[in-house]
Structures are given as C-alpha cells and as structure tokens.
Amino acid sequence: MPAVPAVPEVKGARLSAPVGLAIALTALFALVIGFDAYAVYADWNVRALADRALADPSAAVYADLERGYGLMDRAGTHQRRIAILTGIVFVVWFHRTRTNAEAFAPGADRLRPGWAIGGWFVPLANFWLPYRIAVATWGSSTPLAADGGRAAGRLPLMPVNLWWGSFVLSKVVAWYGGRSYGGAESLEEVRDAATTVLVGDVVDIVAAVLAVLYVRRLTALQHARIAQGPRGVAGTPVPMAERLPD
C-alpha cells in the first residue's frame, strides 16, 4: 500500500491509515498459521499414537505417546505466545481504525473509541462488542463518491462476518478441546480430545487467513478515505440502523 498523503488535523489528532500495523499483523498472522500447522501435526500424531496404543498396548508405543504429549504441549506453548503478541498488535490496530472512523462519521457509533480496547476484556460481552464496533467502523470507512457524497450502496459485510465467525468458533473449539485434553484419563478420551484440538487448530488457521483479509481490506478503505483529503473527513454519518446488525 502506498504512503498516506498528508491531511488536515482533526480534533487535535492527525489521521493516518494504520498501514504499518497492517503489515505487522500480516507477518504475525503468518506466524500464527505456521505454529497452528505445527500444532495440527502434533495433534494428529497424538491421535494416531493413541489409536496404536489401543490396538497394541506395548511399552514402545506408550513411550512414543509420551513424546507425542510433549510435542503437543510445546506446540500449545508456541501458539499461546504468538497469540498474545498478535492480539496486542491487533487491538492497537483495531483502536486506530475506530479512531479514524470517528473522524469520518462523527457520532455514527454511540460507543466511544475506547471501547475498541475495553470491549475485548468484558466477559461474555466480548463475544459481541468487538464485532459491533467492527461493523460500525467498516461502514464509516466507506470512501466518498466523486461528487463528495457517500458512494451508492453499502459495502458487503462478508469480510467482517467471516472473520468474526471463524474467530469465535476457533476460540470455542479450542477451549472445549483444551478442557477435554486436560481431563482425559483413558486412551479413548485422549484420542477424542486430540481430535477436537486438531479441529480447533484447523479453524484457527482459517480464522487467521480471514483476519489478514479483513485487516488489509479495512486498512485500504481508510487509506482511500484519507486520500480524499479534507472532504473525506467528518463526512455525513451513516445512520446506525443502516450499518449495525439487529
């Protein structure tokens, strides 16, 4: 993405499309995908070894299974570390885009920009608040038409919906798989738990890919809006009823 042109200051803050953050997130999500792929291998290995142990409960198979447990644990540790780093950068990017959206369409979202950070840490509500903010930011970032009015039609919400749906699904499956694996006592339970964790890791790969597409698309939209200069700032807000889901 090209450099962002200079634009006037708005309410004491200088607008800028978070291009650098989007590039950093692309790299971080690539690492997430790599560690997830490593975890998928570890999960499949434990599942296969559990099947072997059920068919042939020899000492050699159990020794391999113990090593498989260690590989799976190491994969999980790497996943957690890169997830924390990626999450921090993502929330910074998310807040930056929400702040830009406030300048594009003042008052279009009743939630203040600070909720773009705080919304992630409210139990249960964090299954809804970030998505709500993402939808509002997406709509407010629509570039203006050539005559200065808002472009006809609304941008499809599919990139937002696919990202958020896969993200939530991956976290739910990973939570359930982790609990099942931690409480597994029999080989059958270990095999089934490893299968669930494997599915969660595959879904997380899909979620990471969709997150990259969402991040790059929204960043490009805001870049185009800022490139329109002063007329692209403090535009006519899109009514909430037109941009937020019921």
Side-chain angles (χ1 to χ4, degrees):
M1 287 175 278
V4 181
V7 297
E9 291 189 357
V10 178
K11 296 181 180 180
R14 195 170 189 80
L15 280 172
S16 64
V19 176
L21 289 170
I23 294 172
L25 283 172
T26 300
L28 287 170
F29 277 120
L31 290 175
V32 168
I33 292 170
F35 285 124
D36 281 345
Y38 174 50
V40 167
Y41 166 75
D43 303 336
W44 181 263
N45 183 54
V46 167
R47 185 187 187 284
L49 289 170
D51 270 334
R52 280 179 54 194
L54 285 168
D56 176 23
S58 64
V61 174
Y62 273 93
D64 289 340
L65 188 55
E66 286 297 325
R67 286 191 290 271
Y69 292 153
L71 181 64
M72 196 169 170
D73 290 342
R74 287 193 297 274
T77 298
H78 292 317
Q79 284 178 299
R80 286 188 291 273
R81 288 173 178 172
I82 192 62
I84 290 172
L85 178 58
T86 304
I88 292 172
V89 178
F90 184 88
V91 170
V92 173
W93 171 87
F94 196 68
H95 180 258
R96 178 70 260 175
T97 58
R98 171 64 186 91
T99 301
N100 286 343
E102 185 66 19
F104 299 150
D109 190 348
R110 290 186 296 271
L111 291 177
R112 303 304 301 163
W115 280 104
I117 297 174
W120 294 93
F121 303 100
V122 181
L124 297 181
N126 55 12
F127 281 92
W128 168 251
L129 285 177
Y131 171 71
R132 180 193 183 285
I133 293 168
V135 170
T137 300
W138 184 267
S140 296
S141 301
T142 306
L144 300 179
D147 60 1
R150 190 170 295 277
R154 292 185 296 166
L155 287 174
L157 284 174
M158 184 175 294
V160 183
N161 293 336
L162 289 177
W163 157 66
W164 186 251
S166 61
F167 170 76
V168 171
L169 179 61
S170 70
K171 299 312 174 189
V172 171
V173 175
W175 172 81
Y176 178 74
R179 285 181 60 88
S180 300
Y181 181 71
E185 297 180 354
S186 66
L187 285 173
E188 290 87 351
E189 290 175 340
V190 168
R191 179 193 59 197
D192 294 344
T195 301
T196 303
V197 174
L198 187 153
V199 171
D201 289 331
V202 171
V203 176
D204 199 58
I205 291 175
V206 175
V209 172
L210 294 173
V212 170
L213 297 177
Y214 162 64
V215 166
R216 293 181 65 84
R217 178 57 175 155
L218 181 55
T219 302
L221 287 173
Q222 293 203 341
H223 180 278
R225 182 67 180 265
I226 293 172
Q228 292 177 322
R231 72 186 183 89
V233 176
T236 304
V238 178
M240 292 288 288
E242 295 183 12
R243 292 190 287 103
L244 294 180
D246 296 330

